[in-house]
Amino acid sequence: MDMLLAMNLVGEIAHRGSFAAAAEALHLSPPSVSRIVSELETDLGVRLFNRTTRQIALTEAGERFLRRSSTIVEEIAALREETRAQHGQPRGQLRVSCVNGFGNMLLAPAIPRFLDMYPQVRVDLEISNRLVDLVHEHVDVAIRVGTGKGGVDSSLVARRIFAQKLIFVATPDYIARHGAPQSLDDLAGHRVVKQVTGTWGRVNHLRHGGETVEYSAPDDFVLNSPIAARNAALAGYGLWLGTDYFVAEDLAEGRLVRLLPDYETVDQPILAVYVHRTHVPAKIRVFLDYLAEVFARRRAEQARRAPGPATKPR
């Protein structure tokens, strides 16, 4: 039995939730997958999966096997990539998970150039706000928004690649009809688009006059997507406490106007998180360096293009 293949297979089944999906990912036939799992369970003397007609789940023994085998698989992959890197370009599949807003607006458009630079690398990008398990799901890099180390445990490494903050914006037409608020108290007379993802966005901490104040938008119009929230603001519904990079072009081109410039959130770091290894695979290393370079330029360009605050409609 090919133990490395078997360990990879267990990880794929756990990640994808079915034998058939794992078979497709590893270019195996479904009967081969069932045979390999059966042989592995016989060899180990334990059952690795609980199977029903609707779902597959790891047993307790399966969880232990996956934790240990994932480390071995990752180290072998890192060794292979390190050896290959000494004699050629980085290569292989790069699995990336990224939060919705950053993934849609900035990361996805940046990846084509990376693929042009490294044609032997393939990128599998999942855009989702769920917190992935990098080891168990064989994810190479996860892009997260966080503070401090962003809740990163000791088995992971976090590299800051960007930062965001939230600012108040609205359309010039909305301001012409309803006026521009001059303080948080004035917001009581305005409609506000509220963006919430899980617990994020329910209460925002704003800097003002050297102090931190709390602000929670009313629940009249709540959305869990930054794209949807931006579109609602552009439609003229009301004000939006939105991400600065999400509205940068709208501000520069006059579709939105910044309001309450003395109130903004502290910078929230955007982190590239990866598994701590003795040898970081070349495909991960060049990807991280590429992201750092691209988004350093983006931040500088955004700072140059940022318009001054507007207090009345144009």
Side-chain angles (χ1 to χ4, degrees):
M1 178 176 53
D2 186 335
M3 182 57 76
L4 181 58
L5 173 61
M7 290 189 293
N8 268 310
L9 182 56
V10 170
E12 287 293 341
I13 294 171
H15 171 51
R16 300 179 185 277
S18 77
F19 279 27
E24 182 178 358
L26 294 178
H27 307 291
L28 298 170
S29 68
S32 295
V33 169
S34 296
R35 176 182 55 79
I36 293 170
V37 171
S38 178
E39 289 179 356
L40 179 60
E41 289 179 329
T42 299
D43 179 67
L44 298 175
V46 297
R47 191 173 185 83
L48 298 175
F49 294 96
N50 288 320
R51 308 166 179 81
T52 68
T53 55
R54 293 189 176 184
Q55 64 179 7
I56 294 175
L58 286 165
T59 63
E60 184 177 350
E63 290 278 2
R64 289 197 301 269
F65 178 82
L66 182 58
R67 281 196 297 270
R68 294 291 300 275
S69 64
S70 293
T71 301
I72 295 170
V73 169
E74 292 290 343
E75 286 298 327
I76 292 174
L79 175 61
R80 181 182 290 118
E81 290 295 331
E82 181 188 17
T83 304
R84 285 173 173 171
Q86 296 174 358
H87 302 284
Q89 290 284 328
R91 66 181 71 197
Q93 185 181 54
L94 186 69
R95 287 181 172 172
V96 182
S97 170
C98 185
V99 292
N100 279 326
F102 189 80
N104 283 308
M105 284 293 290
L106 296 187
L107 183 61
I111 286 179
R113 180 168 170 263
F114 172 78
L115 292 173
D116 287 340
M117 294 170 62
Y118 300 100
Q120 296 182 64
V121 176
R122 306 181 309 278
V123 173
D124 181 351
L125 173 61
E126 175 190 331
I127 296 179
S128 169
N129 284 334
R130 74 183 186 89
L131 189 65
V132 300
D133 186 319
L134 277 75
V135 174
H136 287 181
E137 299 183 45
H138 300 288
V139 173
D140 294 301
V141 180
I143 309 299
R144 299 175 178 171
V145 179
T147 56
K149 291 190 66 181
V152 178
D153 64 44
S154 60
S155 67
L156 304 176
V157 181
R159 179 171 175 180
R160 182 180 172 126
I161 59 170
F162 202 58
Q164 68 176 35
K165 61 185 175 184
L166 306 183
I167 59 177
F168 286 100
V169 295
T171 62
D173 179 65
Y174 177 86
I175 299 169
R177 289 185 286 112
H178 300 282
Q182 301 301 314
S183 70
L184 283 185
D185 292 337
D186 292 345
L187 294 182
H190 287 269
R191 297 185 303 190
V192 182
V193 177
K194 185 172 184 175
Q195 181 193 336
V196 173
T197 303
T199 58
W200 185 93
R202 297 191 181 278
V203 177
N204 293 283
H205 296 86
L206 307 174
R207 293 181 301 187
H208 178 67
E211 298 182 351
T212 300
V213 297
E214 288 188 352
Y215 171 71
S216 180
D219 294 331
D220 298 329
F221 190 9
V222 182
L223 304 100
N224 68 348
S225 162
I227 295 176
R230 171 179 173 267
N231 288 338
L234 287 171
Y237 173 80
L239 283 73
W240 176 38
L241 184 59
T243 310
D244 56 351
Y245 67 78
F246 231 86
V247 298
E249 291 188 7
D250 295 321
L251 292 173
E253 296 176 13
R255 291 186 292 270
L256 293 173
V257 174
R258 183 173 181 182
L259 302 168
L260 298 174
D262 293 334
Y263 293 88
E264 63 182 22
T265 62
V266 297
D267 279 0
Q268 302 169 348
I270 296 178
L271 309 171
V273 180
Y274 57 100
V275 176
H276 177 75
R277 299 183 180 92
T278 304
H279 303 288
V280 177
K283 63 183 180 180
I284 297 177
R285 187 176 64 252
V286 297
F287 184 64
L288 295 172
D289 289 344
Y290 173 77
L291 295 184
E293 175 191 351
V294 166
F295 294 122
R297 289 201 307 267
R298 171 82 188 201
R299 198 65 175 171
E301 178 185 352
Q302 188 171 308
R304 287 196 301 270
R305 294 178 59 185
T311 56
K312 58 184 178 179
R314 292 192 276 181

